[in-house]
Amino acid sequence: MEHPALTDATDLTLLQAAALLSGASAWDSRAIPAANVPSFVMSDGPHGVRRQLGDADHLGIAQAEKATCFPTASALAATWNPELARDMGEALGLEARSLGVDVLLGPGLNIKRSPLCGRNFEYFSEDPILAGTMAAGLVDGIQSTGTAACPKHFAVNSQELRRMASDSIVDERTMREIYLTGFEIVCRTARPRAIMSSYNLVNGTYAHENKHLLTDILRTEWGFDGMVVSDWGGSNSAVAAARAGGSLEMPAPGLVGARQIVAAVEAGQLDASDVYARAQEVLTVAAAAAGLPAPTPYDLDGHHALATRIAAEAITLLRNENDLLPLSAGTSVALIGDLADTPRFQGSGSSQVNPTRVESPRELLEAGGEASRGLVCAGYASGYERHGGTSDALIAEAVALAARADVALVYVGLDELAESEGLDRLHMRLPEGQDRLIEAVVAANPRTVVVLTGGASVEMPWASSVPALVNGYLTGQGGAGAMLDVLSGAVNPSGRLAETYALSYEDHPTAAWYPATGPLSYYREGPFVGYRYFTTAGVDVAFPFG
């Protein structure tokens, strides 16, 4: 472009300004060459850049460019370390720049209202202050590189079932105290240049058209002056959005909305000043993106090492009876569990990253030497089927292996079908057969270490009978090495739970009404979410928050 990018929306015609309020493709804003307005590129995601260049989608189906898969928010939150979040954010921002991405869609900081929410792995905590503080660190790091961050999903977005039609009915105190506090912390301390609205309605009005959320609270109270982008497909009225404070409709609705906006202004149903205010919010992002330097390569090895360091700091020791851990060099370990062979290190859906490399526990242990951290692999047994179920034969194989090793190392956890965007979990149990496997292995070798994988809490009826239990969350592409560092004592586990692990799902305050299957989702529990409920009601838990 010969001339610098336009910076003042009032230099646009009304139609041009209206056209800026909708996207041009799956990931690109609309350029207006006649007015020297460039487009900018948006991309997922919260824990790694998902840059799609060919067939684009927002569901994580089509292949993306390779990028570092960092630990998910569920793991990052367990570090309780905002400085580490900032380091991760800076790395994400640099990778976004390298891949030509101007706006990174993340972090996700919705509250873990129920353990069954399918996207809990993408969210930090049941506590809004922890979620907001960690997200602010991440946003600060991302934006230090020139990349814009876009925290999501604003607001009161707690379930995947009927997520585009569910109406969150919540009182003002609960909304502000629990569901908005994290966003307020981020807006006031890290000043993100964009925010993504959620799909759901809030007290009868879609989030992207909700003036109370977008204007009264976000802009007037908190001083946010950036762009509000709809979740993909989350805008229902271009006119109502412009009036309420919604800046950009994505992905690519064509120019129907722009014509509706112009017609509404001409009919006196919408103020032209609202259209120009929204266009200015989009234009400011476009002008900033146009001023960024050309993309440069990032340090692949350095970012993998950072991902591993974050994973190691997230790993949380839940039980260690008789100091079974750390395992000394030369210890022979029976490696058990399909997740030890094919690790699950991230969630499914729009945040799914195409990693630059992936380590597996089996690969590292069978390599021996430095890779295995001095541990000796006595053999491997799958123990269970990937997506639920086991057999007497699989358990017998695992038991025989466990009996002839010094220590049994059992990897269990949630599979890809259990935690995904678009789906909520049906229960809080591990996939079928894993509980039975653990009980059999512990009986065969009382020196058993269970390594748990997953982005949200699960029921663990066997917890008190297992001498060592380590929570590995979803720790990204370096998680396998990080776990061996912890098990071998090279790293002292310092992670703390960012959510309560209840004894059973029925103990949760939302158990009787989550998820809402009808149009209205009543937040009957009010502010009593997570530990606020368990401590107030005096309900025993398996492992407490923090």
Side-chain angles (χ1 to χ4, degrees):
M1 193 174 288
E2 295 176 11
H3 304 286
L6 183 74
T7 57
D8 189 344
T10 59
D11 291 335
L12 298 169
T13 66
L14 179 63
L15 180 59
Q16 287 173 331
L20 268 190
L21 310 191
S22 57
S25 71
W27 302 113
D28 298 87
S29 73
R30 195 183 300 285
I32 304 179
N36 290 323
V37 178
S39 68
F40 54 86
V41 177
M42 294 160 278
S43 184
D44 299 310
H47 60 266
V49 184
R50 192 175 73 92
R51 174 74 160 119
Q52 292 180 310
L53 295 176
D55 293 334
D57 68 88
H58 58 279
L59 299 172
I61 298 168
Q63 187 78 308
E65 297 288 290
K66 284 188 177 295
T68 308
C69 181
F70 288 94
T72 65
S74 65
L76 180 62
T79 69
W80 291 62
N81 186 343
E83 283 303 313
L84 197 59
R86 191 190 187 284
D87 291 345
M88 175 172 151
E90 186 177 351
L92 286 171
L94 290 171
E95 295 201 18
R97 294 295 315 119
S98 174
L99 293 166
V101 171
D102 304 305
V103 181
L104 201 56
L105 304 176
L109 65 152
N110 294 107
I111 294 299
K112 295 189 177 188
R113 177 187 175 216
S114 165
L116 301 192
C117 176
R119 284 183 97 165
N120 274 350
F121 64 88
E122 275 188 74
Y123 304 145
F124 291 99
S125 180
E126 65 190 31
D127 179 71
I129 294 174
L130 176 59
T133 304
M134 294 301 293
L138 203 69
V139 168
D140 192 41
I142 291 168
Q143 297 198 153
S144 72
T145 67
T147 305
C150 183
K152 58 185 188 180
H153 309 85
F154 190 69
V156 204
N157 176 224
S158 306
Q159 67 180 56
E160 291 299 284
L161 181 69
R162 296 177 54 86
R163 64 180 177 158
M164 299 183 85
S166 182
D167 188 354
S168 298
I169 307 299
V170 60
D171 65 273
E172 189 80 3
R173 176 208 165 178
T174 297
M175 181 170 75
R176 287 176 176 271
E177 192 173 306
I178 303 297
Y179 298 98
L180 298 187
T181 293
F183 286 99
E184 182 176 7
I185 290 169
V186 170
C187 286
R188 290 188 186 276
T189 63
R191 301 192 65 81
R193 300 210 296 276
I195 272 186
M196 184 189 293
S197 60
S198 56
Y199 282 129
N200 52 287
L201 300 90
V202 181
N203 294 326
T205 306
Y206 278 106
H208 196 63
E209 291 123 40
N210 195 308
K211 187 174 184 291
H212 184 51
L213 280 178
L214 303 186
T215 297
D216 300 347
I217 296 174
L218 180 64
R219 298 189 190 282
T220 305
E221 288 187 28
W222 300 348
F224 176 79
D225 59 0
M227 173 182 76
V228 175
V229 59
S230 74
D231 203 341
W232 267 228
S235 179
N236 296 273
S237 165
V239 173
R243 188 185 295 120
S247 320
L248 177 61
E249 178 180 357
M250 289 298 291
L255 286 167
V256 175
R259 295 188 189 101
Q260 290 171 342
I261 287 170
V262 171
V265 172
E266 290 172 347
Q269 298 163 347
L270 176 65
D271 288 341
S273 61
D274 285 331
V275 182
Y276 280 102
R278 303 292 83 80
Q280 186 62 60
E281 290 149 12
V282 177
L283 193 60
T284 299
V285 174
L292 291 172
T296 53
Y298 63 92
D299 179 359
L300 267 83
D301 292 338
H303 286 196
H304 178 76
L306 175 61
T308 305
R309 180 161 66 87
I310 297 167
E313 196 164 316
I315 290 167
T316 304
L317 185 64
L318 297 179
R319 269 178 76 82
N320 189 25
E321 300 302 301
N322 302 318
D323 294 329
L324 177 54
L325 295 175
L327 304 176
S328 55
T331 301
S332 75
V333 296
L335 188 61
I336 297 166
D338 183 78
L339 287 163
D341 184 32
T342 308
R344 182 166 171 261
F345 52 93
Q346 63 178 328
S348 304
S350 62
S351 69
Q352 196 161 319
V353 179
N354 183 14
T356 57
R357 67 186 82 165
V358 181
E359 299 171 343
S360 84
R362 184 180 182 184
E363 171 194 355
L364 295 176
L365 280 169
E366 288 183 347
E370 192 176 315
S372 70
R373 279 58 171 180
L375 303 177
V376 178
C377 185
Y380 165 77
S382 67
Y384 53 82
E385 304 282 349
R386 180 73 173 190
H387 298 300
T390 188
S391 66
D392 292 342
L394 288 175
I395 289 179
E397 180 189 19
V399 163
L401 176 62
R404 64 174 189 264
D406 296 332
V407 169
L409 201 51
V410 186
Y411 280 72
V412 296
L414 299 172
D415 61 29
E416 292 82 359
L417 302 180
E419 291 186 287
S420 174
E421 177 178 357
L423 302 169
D424 295 308
R425 289 158 64 198
L426 299 176
H427 54 73
M428 208 176 115
R429 301 184 299 277
L430 287 172
E432 185 190 356
Q434 293 188 16
D435 292 342
R436 194 172 141 222
L437 170 71
I438 292 166
E439 288 161 1
V441 169
V442 173
N445 187 338
R447 289 168 57 82
T448 292
V449 180
V450 172
V451 175
L452 186 63
T453 293
S457 58
V458 295
E459 293 172 6
M460 294 177 271
W462 36 262
S464 61
S465 65
V466 170
L469 173 58
V470 190
N471 197 348
Y473 306 100
L474 297 175
T475 40
Q477 66 182 54
M483 181 59 71
L484 290 185
D485 283 337
V486 167
L487 296 177
S488 65
V491 169
N492 188 38
S494 60
R496 293 167 179 261
L497 293 179
E499 64 187 292
T500 304
Y501 279 53
L503 287 165
S504 73
Y505 177 61
E506 287 66 35
D507 291 340
H508 273 273
T510 56
W513 52 78
Y514 183 94
T517 55
L520 302 180
S521 175
Y522 291 101
Y523 284 57
R524 295 184 177 95
E525 70 284 356
F528 295 100
V529 174
Y531 69 85
R532 287 170 172 78
Y533 167 75
F534 291 107
T535 54
T536 304
V539 177
D540 286 340
V541 300
F543 301 101
F545 171 87

